[in-house]
Amino acid sequence: MDQGLMHMQQQQLRSPGFRPFCARQVFAGHVRRSFTCCEARATETQTPSKDQMQKRDCLTRSQEVPDLPAPRSPFNTGSMDITTAGATASLCGHDLPSEKTIIIVRHGLTTWNEQSRIQGTADDSDITPYGQEQAIRARNALSRMNIDSLFSSPLKRARTTSEIMWQGRDGPLNYIESLKEAPLGWLEGMTNADAEKKDPEQFEIWRKDPANFSFDGRYPLLEVYDKAKEAWKEILEAPGSSHLIITHKSMARAFLCTALALPPTSFRSLDMNNGGVSIFRVNKRGEPMLTNMNMLSHEHYDGVYY
């Protein structure tokens, strides 16, 4: 490395107001260490005092601090104050006593996922050993976050994931019907290949135009959108400031779409992998802000915390 450049970087690293980030890059067998120095940005919000920080990090279901934000990682340097959020309407229709942090996790890999079999509301698939490991790794990644309660789909694959992820916590574990997967009628239990053979036209509608897919007069995607809105309201009205949600792929997509005011035609523009973690912050007016989506680093690296 050029000695002048090295000296400049060393001087920057010693300077107050700069925060170093180190990334290792491997090219042709050589390890190069690159340093990127970024100047600390001042925020418009007032920095909480040490006492306020302690109160905020000790929020429980029975004791809230309305004037302080919900617990968050000190390394998350994004928008601290979302009182000006308003891209979407309130999800609950009234003011909340405090900001909320909502964490959404898709259940771990199942036997039917491995077989490319459509699950829907069928409850015959089990979490695989790999799916259990995904739940454990997601639990570890969230272990430094204060979470007041967990809301889960009652279907077995979500229940198993919830039980693993809630180990070591004291808050209530709630199973609610509104978090169940979308009902898919004749598709449930079939592999994608077999479903396409059985009814190519309807299968193509489900894959390419899910808002118009129907069976027995029911429109699953419209139903799951309604359930997502119902679940949002119930969860936001629960005591506490931070809640974990364990649900399914279609339900997680609908959860994100309804929060972001995306129509059913945008349903497949979002994805949620098994064990993926998404996080919303909701201000006191009930307006959501998506801060992280489908995070999966914890599945590939140890020591990842959100």
Side-chain angles (χ1 to χ4, degrees), residues 48-59 65 68 71:
S49 66
K50 182 177 180 180
D51 182 59
Q52 286 177 318
M53 291 286 287
Q54 290 176 341
K55 287 181 179 179
R56 185 193 70 183
D57 292 337
C58 293
L59 291 177
V65 185
L68 297 178

Side-chain angles (χ1 to χ4, degrees), residues 144-206:
R144 297 185 180 182
M145 294 183 68
N146 179 75
I147 304 176
D148 295 300
S149 60
L150 184 152
F151 290 84
S152 171
S153 159
L155 296 179
K156 182 167 54 176
R157 55 194 185 272
R159 292 178 69 99
T160 302
T161 303
S162 298
E163 290 165 1
I164 293 172
M165 291 195 62
W166 205 236
Q167 289 176 8
R169 295 192 183 264
D170 299 324
L173 198 169
N174 310 284
Y175 297 105
I176 59 176
E177 291 290 317
S178 55
L179 289 176
K180 289 176 69 172
E181 181 60 300
L184 294 176
W186 63 272
L187 288 172
E188 294 184 357
M190 302 189 72
T191 64
N192 282 287
D194 288 343
E196 187 173 15
K197 290 178 183 177
K198 180 177 180 178
D199 194 331
E201 182 179 351
Q202 285 298 309
F203 182 79
E204 185 176 13
I205 291 175
W206 168 241

Side-chain angles (χ1 to χ4, degrees), residues 42-158:
T43 63
E44 297 179 359
T45 56
Q46 184 177 0
T47 303
S49 66
K50 182 177 180 180
D51 182 59
Q52 286 177 318
M53 291 286 287
Q54 290 176 341
K55 287 181 179 179
R56 185 193 70 183
D57 292 337
C58 293
L59 291 177
T60 64
R61 300 184 310 282
S62 59
Q63 180 183 13
E64 297 179 353
V65 185
D67 295 330
L68 297 178
R72 62 185 289 128
S73 166
F75 297 102
N76 187 336
T77 57
S79 300
M80 294 292 290
D81 180 6
I82 62 169
T83 57
T84 58
T88 61
S90 171
L91 293 171
C92 55
H94 57 78
D95 289 345
L96 299 171
S98 66
E99 288 183 7
K100 299 273 189 175
T101 298
I102 306 297
I103 307 147
I104 306 165
V105 178
R106 183 186 173 195
H107 63 73
L109 187 77
T110 71
T111 52
W112 282 18
N113 287 146
E114 287 186 325
Q115 299 164 13
S116 190
R117 203 172 290 276
I118 300 167
Q119 297 181 116
T121 55
D123 207 12
D124 300 317
S125 63
D126 296 302
I127 294 291
T128 65
Y130 185 81
Q132 293 176 13
E133 179 64 20
Q134 286 177 315
I136 291 170
R137 296 182 76 86
R139 179 188 69 200
N140 293 342
L142 298 174
S143 63
R144 297 185 180 182
M145 294 183 68
N146 179 75
I147 304 176
D148 295 300
S149 60
L150 184 152
F151 290 84
S152 171
S153 159
L155 296 179
K156 182 167 54 176
R157 55 194 185 272

Side-chain angles (χ1 to χ4, degrees), residues 31-48:
V31 179
R32 299 177 182 177
R33 184 180 295 268
S34 62
F35 292 91
T36 303
C37 300
C38 63
E39 187 173 1
R41 295 177 300 172
T43 63
E44 297 179 359
T45 56
Q46 184 177 0
T47 303

